[in-house]
Amino acid sequence: MTKIKIFVALLSISCIFLLAPSANASLVGNTSQATMSLSPESGTFNANSQFQITVYINTNGRNVNAVAAHFNYTPGLFEVVSVDYTGSVFTMEAESTINNSAGTVKISRGVTGSVNTSNGKIGVLNIKGLVAAAPSSDNFTFNFTAGDANKSNVFLNDQQGTPVL
């Protein structure tokens, strides 16, 4: 009798899991905010190979006049050689620092007037692979905290510099 009760209990639990709707994880945020992205998003990097990562902005229909793109990366894997701003939608440089010892890049740029774009180039990171590195989501990451104007952010052209990343 005990074996039948255990079997029925296990069968009931199994049915609950099988019949329950599947849950999908998703990121939810304010879809009216600006976004920044990197291209390519992934790749395999060999020792002594050189490659580029382009930093893009989507202002999502908003008029912005400044951007701060701050990155972290693993210094033992990569060396950022330079940042090229040719063709950047932001024409004025406020900050451009590379610290290969700490694994950080800080880019801050602005423009007279405003930028409103779905795919505007901020700049291109010229990078050298120091060792073979497999693609990973944390090879290069934005240093970002929502609402923190001292990290990666995009600022509205609203006379107040409202952060909208």
Side-chain angles (χ1 to χ4, degrees):
M1 191 67 151
T2 304
K3 289 182 181 178
I4 294 174
K5 288 181 181 178
I6 292 172
F7 176 75
V8 170
L10 289 173
L11 183 62
S12 298
I13 292 170
S14 298
C15 287
I16 290 170
F17 284 113
L18 289 174
L19 297 176
S22 62
N24 293 322
S26 65
L27 285 175
V28 177
N30 185 339
T31 58
S32 67
Q33 301 298 331
T35 59
M36 283 190 279
S37 61
L38 302 175
S39 180
E41 293 180 9
S42 67
T44 301
F45 313 106
N46 299 314
N48 297 316
S49 67
Q50 296 208 8
F51 60 96
Q52 296 180 323
I53 296 177
T54 305
V55 185
Y56 290 101
I57 183 173
N58 177 350
T59 64
N60 206 13
R62 317 246 350 233
N63 293 322
V64 303
N65 63 2
V67 63
H70 297 187
F71 303 95
N72 297 319
Y73 61 94
T74 306
L77 299 178
F78 307 101
E79 174 185 323
V80 177
V81 178
S82 64
V83 182
D84 182 4
Y85 299 108
T86 304
S88 175
V89 295
F90 295 96
T91 56
M92 298 184 303
E93 181 176 308
E95 177 181 31
S96 182
T97 61
I98 299 168
N99 185 334
N100 282 307
S101 298
T104 61
V105 176
K106 293 182 179 181
I107 298 169
S108 298
R109 300 191 57 85
V111 65
T112 302
S114 62
V115 170
N116 188 330
T117 180
S118 62
N119 194 35
K121 182 167 75 170
I122 296 171
V124 178
L125 305 175
N126 295 303
I127 302 163
K128 177 181 178 184
L130 300 177
V131 298
S136 174
S137 62
D138 62 352
N139 282 342
F140 280 83
T141 59
F142 286 99
N143 185 357
F144 172 73
T145 302
D148 188 342
N150 295 311
K151 297 186 178 178
S152 292
N153 226 311
V154 177
F155 302 93
L156 280 180
N157 185 10
D158 65 354
Q159 306 302 318
Q160 298 170 5
T162 305
V164 292
L165 184 63

